[in-house]
């Protein structure tokens, strides 16, 4: 049992002072008591050195893509866009071995913890060898990613991705996609093997994903969802949707419907589903999405980096929609940067200020943070995002000693951390009851970085 004492903490109904939190050996919160007198600093109680807030779920990650960050910002002769970036990404993954996958993912997850995320939704689609053959253990690549998460100490919702086609109407997969391809029964072998090994590990949750409406047929999607539901009744199911106008056009041509519209009508979706991006929505589609219970996974830094477009967050949120945040391609990895972009892009488009808000909470930072916690926890199918009994002990300690944090209390702490702090405001990170980051340092970061450097030397 661990007991923490937080001089100030963000509880479900707001900020509270002098909070005692008890955590059991498996990483669950078993006691929360506010307004306790500060205990004598005995060995059994640890006082946290800053403002305690819930750790953020990262709803959408392709961990391996972190190794490409910074290599795709060079302008060539021809126009560069999402699709040309994707070709570079496909070239990059040709030589990726299972060892590389683990080394890169571990480094990504250490950076992710430092950036304020305590859980990650890994949308995992590189299943096979460079020849496109399944490994002897079909689930090998998945295991490498899960091992990396456990080594770093981040909780993972691992979602093996179903992928079969290169475009609408079941077009055969391209050569560059051969490492991704499975039938539903092949896919379920991976999910079942992982379920067998990780069902009782509290830091691991299993989910399932369809890559996109481009990559699975309607029949395959129905079959995959049914099989996943048989094995994992409550598991999250994710899918990419409507990130690019080309996808919307292709979908309209193929079905007469837009991707999100098609999914809401035919996907048999519910509140355990997340749609990632949904950048391009018609108004009625946006309203239907907001009332569907589906969580939208928004990845503002990647969406900006790839030139996707702008999600209509203000009307979506006003219509009651739920969202989580993800760092996706990991062009950068930071909760505060992701949330800052989320609000700023809307301000730039609307030419207004303070646009994401609630009638009873004028703090933009607090509303963004709490909405992303709630949507994120649901998207990952994990009991996290709240400092409350029965939830994971996933916390961030925000550094109140930074100059810019001077005199900032309660919601101003989040407003300042998100919009004003230059340096990383996340000082300590607890994930599943264990300190993963202390004073901005991860206890295995030197080893993980050394292995990452060795891996990267071959990608020169
Ligand atoms: C992915 N990434 O699966 O890694 C995608 C690109 C695609 C993002 N959408 C590939 N950011 O959508 O076909
Ligand atoms: Zn993605």
């Amino acid at each position: 049992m661990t007991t923490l004492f937080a001089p100030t903490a963000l509880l479900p109904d707001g900020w509270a002072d002098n909070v005692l939190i008890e955590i059991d050996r498996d990483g669950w919160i078993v006691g929360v008591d506010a307004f306790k007198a500060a205990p004598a600093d005995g060995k059994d109680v640890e006082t946290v050195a800053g403002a305690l807030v819930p750790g953020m779920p990262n709803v959408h990650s392709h961990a391996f893509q972190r190794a490409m960050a910074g290599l795709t910002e060079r302008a060539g002769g021809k126009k560069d866009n999402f699709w040309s970036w994707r070709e570079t990404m496909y070239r990059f993954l040709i030589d990726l071995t299972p060892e590389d996958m683990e080394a890169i993912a571990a480094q990504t997850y250490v950076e992710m913890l430092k950036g304020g995320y305590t859980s990650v939704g890994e949308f995992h689609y590189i299943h096979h060898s460079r020849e496109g053959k399944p490994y002897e253990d079909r689930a090998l690549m998945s295991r490498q990613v899960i091992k990396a998460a456990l080594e770093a100490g981040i909780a993972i919702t691992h979602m093996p991705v179903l992928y079969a086609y290169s475009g609408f109407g079941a077009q055969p997969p391209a050569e560059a996609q051969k490492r991704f391809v499975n039938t539903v029964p092949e896919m379920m072998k991976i999910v079942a093997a992982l379920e067998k090994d990780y069902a009782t590990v509290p830091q691991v949750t299993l989910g399932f994903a369809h890559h996109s409406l481009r990559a699975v047929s309607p029949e395959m999607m129905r079959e995959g969802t049914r099989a996943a539901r048989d094995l994992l009744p409550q598991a999250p199911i994710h899918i990419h949707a409507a990130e690019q106008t080309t996808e919307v056009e292709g979908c309209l041509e193929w079905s007469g419907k837009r991707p999100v519209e098609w999914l809401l009508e035919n996907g048999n979706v519910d509140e355990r589903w997340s749609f990632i991006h949904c950048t391009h929505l018609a108004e009625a589609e946006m309203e239907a999405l907001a009332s569907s219970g589906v969580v939208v996974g928004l990845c503002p830094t990647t969406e900006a980096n790839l030139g996707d477009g702008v999600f209509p967050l203000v009307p979506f949120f006003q219509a009651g929609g739920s969202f989580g945040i993800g760092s996706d391609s990991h062009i950068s990895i930071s909760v505060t940067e992701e949330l800052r972009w989320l609000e700023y892009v809307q301000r730039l488009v609307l030419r207004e200020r303070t646009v994401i808000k609630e009638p009873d909470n004028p703090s933009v930072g607090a509303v963004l943070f709490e909405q992303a916690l709630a949507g994120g926890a649901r998207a990952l199918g994990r009991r996290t995002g709240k400092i409350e009994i029965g939830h994971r002990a996933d916390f961030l300690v925000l550094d109140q000693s930074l100059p810019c944090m001077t005199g900032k209390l309660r919601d101003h702490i989040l407003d300042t951390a998100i919009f004003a702090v230059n340096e990383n405001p996340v000082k300590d990170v607890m994930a599943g009851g264990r300190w993963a980051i202390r004073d901005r340092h991860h206890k295995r970061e030197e080893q993980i970085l050394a292995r990452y450097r060795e891996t990267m030397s071959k990608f020169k």
Side-chain angles (χ1 to χ4, degrees):
M1 183 89 95
T2 307
T3 306
L4 297 181
F5 177 73
T8 185
L10 183 61
L11 301 187
D13 41 8
W15 289 90
D17 292 338
N18 302 330
V19 182
L20 260 189
I21 301 163
E22 288 182 318
I23 302 154
D24 75 8
R25 284 176 42 209
D26 294 327
W28 297 98
I29 301 173
V30 292
V32 181
D33 258 313
F35 313 114
K36 289 276 166 181
D41 220 1
K43 65 172 167 28
D44 299 334
V45 179
E46 191 182 343
T47 299
V48 300
L52 195 77
V53 298
M56 185 62 71
N58 187 339
V59 303
H60 193 65
S61 162
H62 308 286
F64 77 92
Q65 291 175 9
R66 177 62 178 161
M68 295 168 52
L71 294 176
T72 57
E73 308 306 320
R74 300 180 67 79
K78 59 180 181 359
K79 194 162 152 182
D80 191 4
N81 62 17
F82 175 91
W83 306 102
S84 47
W85 170 86
R86 191 176 79 158
E87 281 168 29
T88 311
M89 188 264 281
Y90 283 174
R91 277 198 301 279
F92 178 79
L93 65 80
I94 291 175
D95 291 322
L96 199 77
T97 66
E99 294 71 33
D100 300 338
M101 183 63 114
E102 185 186 2
I104 296 168
Q107 178 61 32
T108 304
Y109 293 153
V110 167
E111 293 180 40
M112 205 176 274
L113 285 157
K114 289 186 177 184
Y117 296 104
T118 47
S119 51
V120 59
E122 186 63 34
F123 196 100
H124 172 79
Y125 59 84
I126 307 182
H127 302 295
H128 307 317
S129 73
R130 73 193 311 287
E131 293 78 31
K133 296 263 165 358
Y135 292 104
E136 199 172 296
D137 170 9
R138 240 177 211 285
L140 177 64
M141 279 298 215
S142 283
R143 288 187 207 283
Q144 295 294 92
V145 173
I146 295 172
K147 256 200 276 175
L150 291 172
E151 181 180 8
I154 197 166
I156 185 168
T157 294
H158 184 79
M159 291 170 278
V161 175
L162 188 61
Y163 204 116
Y165 304 111
S166 67
F168 291 103
Q171 296 168 44
E175 173 68 14
Q177 296 165 335
K178 67 186 172 196
R179 300 189 71 176
F180 318 158
V181 176
N182 281 297
T183 63
V184 170
E186 286 166 349
M187 193 69 229
M188 294 322 293
K189 275 193 198 150
I190 297 178
V191 180
L194 297 174
E195 166 68 4
K196 187 161 160 282
D197 287 4
Y198 294 105
T200 60
V201 180
Q203 287 297 81
V204 179
T205 300
L206 289 176
F208 186 78
H210 302 282
H211 183 273
S212 55
L213 284 177
R214 290 171 275 127
V216 294
S217 65
E219 300 70 43
M220 201 171 184
M221 197 173 150
R222 262 193 299 277
E223 189 193 344
T225 300
R226 200 179 314 117
R229 276 281 161 264
D230 284 348
L231 199 65
L232 309 166
Q234 299 303 322
I237 301 182
H238 288 202
I239 186 168
H240 289 128
E243 181 179 10
Q244 285 284 318
T245 51
T246 308
E247 178 180 299
V248 178
E249 287 153 16
C251 194
L252 277 167
E253 210 169 291
W254 164 70
S255 68
K257 304 278 179 184
R258 306 167 63 87
V260 168
E261 181 186 20
W262 191 96
L263 282 167
L264 291 174
E265 287 176 15
N266 304 290
N268 196 17
V269 302
D270 58 30
E271 70 292 340
R272 291 163 301 183
W273 280 67
S274 294
F275 295 176
I276 309 304
H277 307 301
C278 301
T279 315
H280 302 285
L281 297 171
E283 200 175 323
E285 196 183 21
M286 181 276 292
E287 282 166 7
L289 180 60
S291 55
S292 67
V294 168
V295 179
V296 174
L298 299 171
C299 311
T301 56
T302 291
E303 288 156 8
N305 186 267
L306 299 182
D308 289 341
V310 176
F311 176 83
L313 184 58
V314 173
F316 175 78
F317 185 55
Q318 281 166 0
S322 301
F323 65 87
I325 54 166
S327 56
D328 189 351
S329 70
H330 312 302
I331 183 63
S332 63
I333 313 179
S334 151
V335 169
T336 54
E337 197 192 349
E338 224 61 66
L339 293 175
R340 186 187 293 182
W341 268 91
L342 210 52
E343 167 77 15
Y344 275 177
V345 169
Q346 303 295 319
R347 290 188 190 185
L348 288 165
V349 170
L350 299 170
R351 288 180 261 162
E352 254 184 67
R353 300 191 68 252
T354 57
V355 292
I356 301 298
K357 57 193 163 194
E358 282 178 325
D360 56 351
N361 191 349
S363 160
V364 172
V367 171
L368 286 168
F369 198 82
E370 291 184 334
Q371 291 295 321
L373 286 173
R378 192 147 64 79
L380 297 195
R382 294 187 59 82
R383 290 183 67 79
T384 184
K386 277 187 188 174
I387 303 180
E388 189 170 76
I389 292 175
H391 287 69
R392 300 295 292 159
D394 293 342
F395 310 129
L396 312 179
V397 178
L398 301 178
D399 190 351
Q400 293 179 291
S401 75
L402 296 173
C404 182
M405 287 287 214
T406 305
K408 307 291 167 52
L409 296 174
R410 300 178 175 257
D411 286 346
H412 285 125
I413 296 170
L414 284 169
D415 287 336
T416 306
I418 292 168
F419 295 106
V421 170
N422 285 321
E423 49 284 82
N424 180 7
V426 178
K427 185 172 186 287
D428 307 297
V429 179
M430 176 175 274
R434 296 202 161 64
W435 289 111
I437 306 294
R438 271 191 200 262
D439 218 2
R440 300 187 168 80
H441 184 263
H442 185 286
K443 66 175 181 301
R444 291 189 50 77
E445 70 178 69
E446 286 80 12
Q447 293 95 308
I448 289 172
L449 178 59
R451 193 177 54 179
Y452 175 75
R453 288 205 166 120
E454 201 183 310
T455 293
M456 290 311 291
S457 64
K458 87 170 198 210
F459 286 98
K460 287 271 157 60

